[in-house]
């Protein structure tokens, strides 16, 4: 049975669709046995707001306050649904963090202290405090600051990622190579640039050393790329370091739940990946922030996608 450790809903995410309950119901229909809820954390700087987060009736202060209210409502609803559907699916209640600047750490740690989360997906969506995955215009703004080349921006992205990794040591690292999404050549090799590749290997080694897990994220496929996040060359390097992987759909609506899992599992076989990690609400973990969560290895062969998941 497949599983997913990264998801969003339109109820609590401005660029997603459907309610959180509808997302969970779809995961049950798709016969996923474990599904992690990981809405985006709120942001506390006016410059970090996305266009859809500011309405004509709000000023930026009100918009920021609304984000925190929405996040609180998400946690309450997620825990309610976790209990309601406990007999049908294993639900983990977590969050996806946004590492924008070093001071992001204080906000993230305050959220972890306030809420009893079971999972954290560590992601970088910003470079030079500009969103690099929102649209091409913003990507180019960040690239101009880096010196007007994808190569330079990639270097800065992986440096920012290392900052996040060192500060938070996230159990799951989200879409490791997201930076390629809006680049000139999203399917191009990272290894063509020596300094970029050195940074990638450095970050992978750090993740391996603290015991982090990379997600195989199928969202890259629905966004037109030929490989999931991360690319095969990165996955192979991580495997050589004995790194661990998990499976995620990064769904933003019911139509994306379980999307591309058949292709991702074929990809896993092609790169030589024999098992993936599933996070469970039992046992113990070395991460004191999530004391009741453990991991278990599941063979890729066991993760056969049911026929209706391909529909």
């Amino acid at each position: 049975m497949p599983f997913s450790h990264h998801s969003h809903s339109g109820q609590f995410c401005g660029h997603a669709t459907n309610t959180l309950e509808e997302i969970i119901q779809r995961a049950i229909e798709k016969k996923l046995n474990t599904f992690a809820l990981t809405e985006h954390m709120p942001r506390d700087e006016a410059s970090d707001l996305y266009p859809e987060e500011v309405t004509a009736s709000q000023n930026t202060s009100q918009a920021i306050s609304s984000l925190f209210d929405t996040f609180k409502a998400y946690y309450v609803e997620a825990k309610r649904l976790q209990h309601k559907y406990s007999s049908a699916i294993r639900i983990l209640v977590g969050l996806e963090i946004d590492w924008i600047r070093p001071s992001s750490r204080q906000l993230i740690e305050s959220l972890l202290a306030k809420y009893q989360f079971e999972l954290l997906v560590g992601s970088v969506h910003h470079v030079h405090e500009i969103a690099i995955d929102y649209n091409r215009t913003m990507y180019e703004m960040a690239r101009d600051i880096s010196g007007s080349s994808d190569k330079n921006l990639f270097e800065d992205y992986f440096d920012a990622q290392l900052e996040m990794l060192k500060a938070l040591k996230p159990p799951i690292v989200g879409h490791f190579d997201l930076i390629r999404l809006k680049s000139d050549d999203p399917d191009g090799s990272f290894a063509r640039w020596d300094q970029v590749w050195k940074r990638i290997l450095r970050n992978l080694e750090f993740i391996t050393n603290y015991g982090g897990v990379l997600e195989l994220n199928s969202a890259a496929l629905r966004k037109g790329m030929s490989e999931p996040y991360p690319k095969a060359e990165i996955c192979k390097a991580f495997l050589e370091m004995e790194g661990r992987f998990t499976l995620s759909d990064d769904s933003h609506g019911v139509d994306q739940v379980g999307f591309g899992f058949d292709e991702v599992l074929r990809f896993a076989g092609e790169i030589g990946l024999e098992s993936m990690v599933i996070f469970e609400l039992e046992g113990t973990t070395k991460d004191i922030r999530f004391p009741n969560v453990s991991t278990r290895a599941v063979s890729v062969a066991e993760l056969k996608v049911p026929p209706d998941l391909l529909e």
Side-chain angles (χ1 to χ4, degrees):
M1 289 288 188
F3 45 80
S4 178
H5 291 84
H6 186 166
S7 68
H8 303 277
S9 73
Q11 187 174 357
F12 301 110
C13 174
H15 56 274
T17 58
N18 302 110
T19 67
L20 192 61
E21 186 159 14
E22 288 169 338
I23 298 291
I24 292 170
Q25 290 170 343
R26 186 58 171 162
I28 294 170
E29 291 173 5
K30 289 282 191 176
K31 297 181 173 60
L32 274 65
N33 71 353
T34 297
F35 196 73
L37 311 178
T38 57
E39 297 288 11
H40 290 286
M41 62 176 275
R43 280 149 283 111
D44 58 358
E45 295 281 346
S47 60
D48 302 334
L49 295 173
Y50 292 108
E52 70 269 13
E53 293 172 339
V54 182
T55 67
S57 62
Q58 288 181 318
N59 58 38
T60 54
S61 177
Q62 291 170 327
I64 291 171
S65 178
S66 178
L67 288 181
F68 280 84
D69 290 343
T70 298
F71 193 73
K72 179 179 179 180
Y74 154 63
Y75 181 79
V76 172
E77 177 68 351
K79 297 302 286 187
R80 182 185 76 84
L81 296 172
Q82 183 184 48
H83 176 73
K84 178 178 179 178
Y85 291 100
S86 61
S87 63
I89 191 169
R90 297 173 180 173
I91 294 173
L92 290 91
V93 179
L95 77 162
E96 181 182 13
I97 64 99
D98 286 316
W99 182 267
I100 302 175
R101 57 186 65 85
S103 62
S104 298
R105 177 176 183 171
Q106 285 70 47
L107 174 56
I108 294 163
E109 290 179 342
S110 71
L111 294 171
L112 292 177
K114 183 174 183 179
Y115 301 102
Q116 293 182 331
F117 286 114
E118 295 146 356
L119 192 65
L120 182 153
V121 177
S123 301
V124 175
H125 301 94
H126 298 71
V127 183
H128 308 306
E129 303 183 11
I130 300 171
I132 48 81
D133 64 328
Y134 188 76
N135 57 37
R136 174 71 179 188
T137 298
M138 296 180 76
Y139 176 89
E140 290 176 348
M141 290 170 58
R143 187 173 64 179
D144 287 345
I145 295 173
S146 289
S148 302
S149 76
D150 283 345
K151 170 185 172 295
N152 290 348
L153 182 58
F154 286 14
E155 291 177 10
D156 292 342
Y157 169 84
F158 288 111
D159 284 345
Q161 186 181 70
L162 183 65
E163 272 188 354
M164 182 274 293
L165 295 171
K166 287 183 174 180
L168 298 172
K169 296 182 175 62
I172 296 177
V173 180
H175 35 59
F176 179 87
D177 54 351
L178 178 68
I179 188 62
R180 63 187 170 102
L181 173 62
K182 300 296 182 181
S183 69
D184 290 342
D185 185 11
D187 286 323
S189 171
F190 287 103
R192 61 188 153 163
W193 292 316
D194 183 61
Q195 290 303 313
V196 172
W197 189 244
K198 285 182 178 179
R199 284 166 167 80
I200 287 172
L201 296 180
R202 174 200 64 192
N203 291 10
L204 294 176
E205 184 175 10
F206 187 84
I207 294 166
T208 302
N209 288 341
Y210 79 77
V213 175
L214 284 188
E215 63 172 6
L216 281 183
N217 184 319
S218 66
L221 301 176
R222 61 178 166 81
K223 294 183 179 183
M225 286 171 272
S226 63
E227 297 175 314
Y229 301 120
K231 286 176 59 63
E233 61 188 3
I234 294 174
C235 293
K236 290 176 181 178
F238 197 51
L239 280 173
E240 289 179 1
M241 300 176 187
E242 299 184 353
R244 300 182 300 161
F245 293 85
T246 193
L247 182 63
S248 297
D249 58 28
D250 197 357
S251 53
H252 283 66
V254 295
D255 59 326
Q256 298 172 5
V257 173
F259 177 89
F261 276 5
D262 56 329
E263 190 170 343
V264 172
L265 292 174
R266 284 197 300 269
F267 172 86
E270 291 168 359
I271 63 173
L273 181 60
E274 297 180 352
S275 66
M276 283 195 256
V277 165
I278 185 171
F279 286 73
E280 299 180 318
L281 290 174
E282 53 191 51
T284 58
T285 178
K286 295 179 181 178
D287 194 331
I288 61 173
R289 298 170 298 180
F290 314 105
N292 299 317
V293 179
S294 61
T295 59
R296 175 172 59 89
V298 179
S299 72
V300 170
E302 291 180 57
L303 297 176
K304 183 178 180 181
V305 181
D308 56 336
L309 189 58
L310 304 179
E311 296 175 357

